[in-house]
Amino acid sequence: MKKIALLGATGSIGINSVDVATAYPDKFKIVSLTFHSNSEKGAALIEQLKPQYVGVGSEEMRTMLAARFPDVKFGVGEEGLIKAATLEDVDVVLTAVTGSVGLKPTMAAIERGKDIALANKETLVMAGKWVMEAAQKYNVSILPVDSEHSAIFQCLNTQEKGNLKELVITASGGSFRDLNRDELEFVTLEEALKHPNWSMGKKITIDSSTMMNKGLEVIEAHWLFGIDYDRIKVVLHKESIVHSMIVLKDGAYLAQLGPSDMREPIQYALTYPNRLPIKDEKSFDLTKIGQLNFEPMDFERFPMLELAFTVGKKGGGYPTVYNAANEIAANAFLEGKISYLQIEELVLKAVQNYTEANEVTLEEVIEIDKQTRTIVERWIKEEG
Ligand code: NDP
Ligand code: MG
């Protein structure tokens, strides 16, 4: 029986994870979970899963839920996230919160020897160096949930690690892949939220359209697989059937293919190195799909992807600035405070505004994250 802490249980990955875990009640048990604002869905999950511990977003929510579920222990905010992730019973922490709030509970869990099934890519972008060092020190596994990284992980599991030449990450292109830059000026939030292939949370859907998501994934891959940026390639693959590929030193390509169903990478992260059938599997027939297309990524069309390589190579606090500025900008766009193209402008401005003299520490990176948020929020207020 694998005991799971599910951080971000009410989200898109969270709900898929509940489906995976509850399909095999003899193999998985969610012993702790967290959510932030959605108390209705959260309460339904407590009812269904009967966890020992629940982290919530506010004191009022705790009071309300503690009265309703007297057998469950509750915590609030960062403390609640950390407690849920480090509970004695927990074997693996599935990090499905959005944004840099995922960092502290992930680090705390690693230090307590818990394996990490990582969906929360922002954590690795911000602090990949420290997360991977700690994982090695405490001998824990970081198992990717992101579909591209799961695909690469699965290909590398064919004992090809020593033969690896390059990674090829596929990108669907997001909601606006067929628009040119001039056409982006007038796009709406509603259009941005219509992803062609995947149903996901709002922030990552916006990130997919700006190619920020792919940029974050490039940095995530750099840390997860310990590979130089020059050996990470991105190709446009509109069908989202090939989830990613590896290239070996003799030129052989290995790819992982499958339907657009996040339950697969979630389940693999939980069953690795074994596999289980997926309950109510999505239909998948390559003869019906017929064609798979691959095109080069246009850095001029998608400047946020090029910027990911720049900040990734610079290292230190740069990826943190890139990520934090985007978190604020993407949320401001979701709240109708800024236009679509302002997301890119704000991220670029934040990166250009940042300079770094010395090597940074983890504590400094956390501070850089905070400062960037404050600065970008101020810019949004001033411009609005
Ligand atoms: P959602 O927005 O659907 O869900 C986010 C979850 O995090 C919710 O449970 C939410 O709680 C909680 N949350 C939000 N803000 C906070 C906060 N400040 N403190 C604590 N908890 C918070 O996101 P997704 O499921 O789409 O994505 C989650 C992560 O997985 C992201 O890092 C994303 O990049 C990554 N990912 C997602 C994929 C997908 O298919 N969706 C694919 C690959 C990676 P509440 O609902 O109560 O507000
Ligand atoms: Mg992905």
Side-chain angles (χ1 to χ4, degrees):
M1 175 72 82
K2 194 165 260 182
K3 297 196 181 111
I4 303 167
L6 179 56
L7 311 185
T10 47
S12 160
I13 292 285
I15 293 300
N16 275 301
S17 305
V18 170
D19 278 357
V20 166
T22 53
Y24 290 101
D26 54 328
K27 293 195 161 56
F28 305 118
K29 165 92 183 120
I30 295 173
V31 293
S32 60
L33 59 88
T34 77
F35 51 91
H36 189 60
S37 55
N38 192 341
S39 58
E40 207 173 304
K41 212 188 252 181
L45 286 174
I46 300 173
E47 195 101 53
Q48 180 191 357
L49 302 167
K50 309 208 172 357
Q52 295 172 27
Y53 187 88
V54 173
V56 298
S58 69
E59 208 50 73
E60 301 78 70
M61 213 185 283
R62 185 226 299 253
T63 312
M64 190 228 342
L65 291 168
R68 191 167 151 196
F69 301 101
D71 298 337
V72 180
K73 289 202 174 70
F74 288 89
V76 178
E78 187 177 294
E79 199 191 319
L81 282 161
I82 291 174
K83 189 75 204 284
T86 55
L87 213 64
E88 183 73 36
D89 263 2
V90 167
D91 301 311
V92 56
V93 180
L94 210 162
T95 62
V97 291
T98 12
S100 61
V101 293
L103 175 62
K104 285 189 187 169
T106 304
M107 282 302 268
I110 293 172
E111 285 163 12
R112 294 287 295 275
K114 319 283 188 196
D115 285 336
I116 308 293
L118 184 115
N120 177 243
K121 62 192 87 184
E122 294 91 342
T123 287
L124 271 196
V125 170
M126 186 178 163
K129 177 171 179 276
W130 298 277
V131 172
M132 297 312 287
E133 274 173 13
Q136 198 160 25
K137 180 173 170 194
Y138 294 95
N139 196 24
V140 310
S141 304
I142 310 284
L143 301 145
V145 168
D146 212 347
S147 58
E148 294 77 2
H149 305 73
S150 176
I152 292 165
F153 184 65
Q154 293 179 52
C155 293
L156 283 172
N157 278 341
T158 54
Q159 326 228 311
E160 296 291 7
K161 260 186 197 136
N163 295 323
L164 182 65
K165 186 169 130 198
E166 279 175 1
L167 305 181
V168 183
I169 298 178
T170 53
S172 72
S175 338
F176 299 137
R177 62 193 185 186
D178 297 322
L179 302 189
N180 63 36
R181 289 204 60 85
D182 291 341
E183 289 166 326
L184 290 178
E185 205 173 318
F186 306 105
V187 297
T188 64
L189 172 58
E190 204 191 349
E191 290 163 338
L193 288 174
K194 281 191 198 134
H195 194 283
N197 306 341
W198 295 93
S199 157
M200 308 184 286
K202 284 184 182 173
K203 191 239 172 198
I204 186 175
T205 305
I206 301 302
D207 289 355
S208 297
S209 73
T210 54
M211 217 43 71
M212 267 307 295
N213 181 50
K214 214 46 59 179
L216 298 172
E217 290 183 355
V218 165
I219 302 170
E220 181 186 11
H222 165 79
W223 290 114
L224 266 178
F225 304 112
I227 187 166
D228 292 346
Y229 286 99
D230 292 335
R231 297 200 290 149
I232 304 175
K233 310 285 183 242
V234 180
V235 297
L236 185 62
H237 168 51
K238 291 186 179 174
E239 292 87 2
S240 295
I241 295 295
V242 173
H243 295 314
S244 278
M245 300 172 249
I246 63 172
V247 189
L248 303 177
K249 58 185 171 201
D250 60 0
Y253 275 64
L254 301 185
Q256 189 262 336
L257 289 74
S260 309
D261 183 350
M262 284 310 294
R263 290 178 306 163
E264 290 201 348
I266 292 168
Q267 185 174 286
Y268 190 65
L270 296 174
T271 59
Y272 169 80
N274 305 309
R275 290 183 187 263
L276 286 171
I278 294 270
K279 296 276 164 79
D280 307 318
E281 205 176 353
K282 271 194 183 178
S283 73
F284 184 68
D285 181 349
L286 282 174
T287 65
K288 289 209 176 98
I289 296 156
Q291 282 192 8
L292 299 178
N293 292 281
F294 301 94
E295 295 166 53
M297 287 302 305
D298 180 350
F299 277 177
E300 271 172 38
R301 168 63 184 80
F302 294 113
M304 292 300 102
L305 182 58
E306 185 173 34
L307 190 59
F309 284 95
T310 309
V311 297
K313 284 178 188 171
K314 284 190 177 196
Y318 283 92
T320 306
V321 173
Y322 172 80
N323 177 63
N326 178 61
E327 280 189 33
I328 298 299
N331 280 323
F333 174 67
L334 284 170
E335 288 163 14
K337 291 183 186 158
I338 61 170
S339 72
Y340 182 75
L341 283 174
Q342 277 179 292
I343 304 173
E344 291 177 352
E345 285 164 24
L346 287 163
V347 174
L348 186 63
K349 188 170 161 185
V351 170
Q352 286 171 342
N353 185 56
Y354 176 71
T355 48
E356 191 169 284
N358 306 305
E359 209 172 303
V360 293
T361 62
L362 178 58
E363 289 67 36
E364 282 163 343
V365 153
I366 291 168
E367 196 48 43
I368 292 164
D369 174 70
K370 262 195 217 142
Q371 281 170 5
T372 307
R373 288 161 187 277
T374 310
I375 294 168
V376 177
E377 268 163 7
R378 198 185 68 220
W379 287 340
I380 291 170
K381 259 196 205 124
E382 283 167 6
E383 282 178 31

